[in-house]
Amino acid sequence: MTWKSLTYFGDSMLLLPTAVIIALILPWKSDNGRTVWYWLVAFGLAGLLVSLSKILYLGFGIGSARFNFTGFSGHSALSATLWPVMLWLISGRWPAFWRAFAIGLGYAIPLMVGFSRLVIHAHSKSEVAAGLLLGFTLSTLFLISQRRTALKGFSWPQIGIAFLIPLLLIGHGRIATTQQFLERLSADLAGLEKPYTRADLWRLQQ
């Protein structure tokens, strides 16, 4: 598996449909009617904070040259929000050891995604670390809020169906254009001809 393949586990093209799948499954598998709303708030807040941090820099130059920070790494933040919850949901009725293993894998995947973003030079260390911290905070708070929630088990065919769309998206490999959308939106909001780039970071704070 190449680093670019690994980084796809944090791409919006994969995570947004998967987040919707989780939202559709939760009312069916959880005995807590509010679980789905907690999930929508957690994932929605991750997306909102990532987007705001990017708009602040792309449109208004608000970042940190000292920490080489231009906004949360979206791949890191969204994957850290989603995968622990996805594996928690799937493993709801598994034996304790295998459930702990699955949830641990849910935390490990975002770490690998974050590392891949550094390897391909898509983000700085501070952006990846901040993204992971944001995502892990939201997913962990969600899991803590659901510690008394009982989940119905998944049959293997159901697990296959739950992963069908994510697997198809991974196989297709199409990348989301959210960054380009945010660049255009930020420039329009700020009245700029073009958004700020990382190359502008040190010039802006001189």
Side-chain angles (χ1 to χ4, degrees):
M1 181 178 290
T2 66
W3 290 113
K4 288 189 176 181
S5 298
L6 185 56
T7 205
Y8 192 71
F9 282 84
D11 194 273
S12 296
M13 185 63 73
L14 169 63
L15 297 189
L16 291 179
T18 306
V20 172
I21 290 172
I22 292 174
L24 293 174
I25 291 175
L26 279 173
W28 173 38
K29 292 294 186 179
S30 171
D31 70 344
N32 183 344
R34 290 184 288 185
T35 301
V36 64
W37 299 111
Y38 285 130
W39 167 242
L40 292 173
V41 168
F43 193 79
L45 190 58
L48 176 63
L49 292 176
V50 167
S51 298
L52 286 177
S53 71
K54 290 179 178 291
I55 289 172
L56 285 174
Y57 181 73
L58 293 170
F60 303 94
I62 300 174
S64 173
R66 178 182 178 184
F67 296 105
N68 194 14
F69 184 83
T70 62
F72 294 111
S73 164
H75 283 66
S76 302
L78 295 182
S79 63
T81 305
L82 184 138
W83 290 116
V85 175
M86 181 69 166
L87 273 294
W88 163 82
L89 176 60
I90 294 297
S91 64
R93 302 292 291 182
W94 292 5
F97 172 81
W98 291 110
R99 190 172 197 215
F101 178 83
I103 295 174
L105 180 61
Y107 278 91
I109 291 172
L111 292 175
M112 294 187 290
V113 169
F115 187 70
S116 74
R117 302 302 285 170
L118 296 177
V119 172
I120 66 176
H121 306 292
H123 283 289
S124 67
K125 292 179 181 178
S126 65
E127 291 163 356
V128 168
L132 289 173
L133 179 61
L134 171 62
F136 283 144
T137 298
L138 290 170
S139 59
T140 301
L141 288 175
F142 172 85
L143 294 180
I144 290 173
S145 76
Q146 300 304 306
R147 62 190 180 278
R148 293 187 178 86
T149 295
L151 296 173
K152 297 178 183 177
F154 282 76
S155 65
W156 287 110
Q158 288 174 347
I159 291 175
I161 292 172
F163 278 104
L164 179 61
I165 293 178
L167 288 172
L168 290 174
L169 290 169
I170 290 172
H172 190 273
R174 186 176 179 183
I175 298 174
T177 58
T178 48
Q179 180 67 23
Q180 290 83 352
F181 169 77
L182 287 173
E183 289 175 355
R184 293 193 299 270
L185 175 63
S186 301
D188 289 342
L189 288 174
L192 302 175
E193 291 186 5
K194 60 180 182 179
Y196 289 112
T197 66
R198 188 178 298 277
D200 297 314
L201 185 59
W202 289 268
R203 178 183 61 79
L204 288 169
Q205 299 191 22
Q206 286 178 350

